[in-house]
Amino acid sequence: MYHLERGFNIVGTISGRGRSNHFSSSRRNIEYGEDSKSAVIREVKEEINQDITEVRLLGIIENIFPYYAETGHEFDFIYEAKLLSNQSYEHEAIEGFEGENKFIAVWKRVTDFKDNPNIKLVPDGLFEMLTNQGKSESINEIKHINTKDILEF
């Protein structure tokens, strides 16, 4: 989750596979029938027990990447939001859980990732999106169309 007005994002270390220097925000799946905005609100609540407000889609990154001997493919919906509790911004770290796995989410300045070979913000292209270096590939609008409640089968 990103709070660009304050110039910070909250990220958790991606552990395992020797990637302790890779950082990402909540990266989970959208549940079947759930829209991406509802998913980010739910995931932040589930993972760090925080409510968020002013949720705004910044963009979507289509990420095709090597994953062991296979090719991974995902669409990352990048949202900006504010934590409802302003006191949460005063903590250096927030304890979180992804399923039963504990992690520590930390505040990092977006600029901490610029030209720093020791840490990496993933997915690729996220740093450029957050610092408006994405040029003309940015999204102007996305519409969520949900007809599941009115369709009859």
Side-chain angles (χ1 to χ4, degrees), residues 88-122:
S88 298
Y89 293 109
E90 297 170 12
H91 301 288
E92 285 187 28
I94 298 174
E95 184 178 273
F97 290 91
E98 191 171 328
E100 295 191 15
N101 298 318
K102 181 179 171 181
F103 69 91
I104 301 297
V106 296
W107 292 105
K108 291 272 191 199
R109 291 190 177 277
V110 174
T111 55
D112 289 348
F113 296 94
K114 183 179 172 128
D115 300 323
N116 187 341
N118 297 318
I119 59 175
K120 178 177 172 119
L121 186 62
V122 292

Side-chain angles (χ1 to χ4, degrees), residues 28-137:
R28 298 290 292 175
N29 295 327
I30 297 173
E31 294 179 358
Y32 188 76
E34 180 179 44
D35 64 81
S36 63
K37 183 176 180 179
S38 297
V40 75
I41 293 167
R42 175 185 52 76
E43 285 292 335
V44 171
K45 183 67 173 177
E46 287 177 5
E47 292 185 3
I48 62 170
N49 197 29
Q50 297 287 320
D51 292 310
I52 57 176
T53 185
E54 299 181 40
V55 181
R56 183 176 72 92
L57 182 67
L58 297 177
I60 300 170
I61 296 175
E62 181 176 12
N63 188 15
I64 301 171
F65 55 94
Y67 185 74
Y68 295 104
E70 301 291 324
T71 299
H73 192 179
E74 65 188 14
F75 292 88
D76 296 300
F77 291 80
I78 310 302
Y79 279 91
E80 175 182 27
K82 293 182 181 181
L83 295 175
L84 195 58
S85 169
N86 283 327
Q87 294 175 346
S88 298
Y89 293 109
E90 297 170 12
H91 301 288
E92 285 187 28
I94 298 174
E95 184 178 273
F97 290 91
E98 191 171 328
E100 295 191 15
N101 298 318
K102 181 179 171 181
F103 69 91
I104 301 297
V106 296
W107 292 105
K108 291 272 191 199
R109 291 190 177 277
V110 174
T111 55
D112 289 348
F113 296 94
K114 183 179 172 128
D115 300 323
N116 187 341
N118 297 318
I119 59 175
K120 178 177 172 119
L121 186 62
V122 292
D124 289 337
L126 180 56
F127 175 81
E128 292 78 11
M129 180 182 285
L130 296 177
T131 58
N132 292 319
Q133 295 176 17
K135 310 255 189 290
S136 64
E137 296 181 32

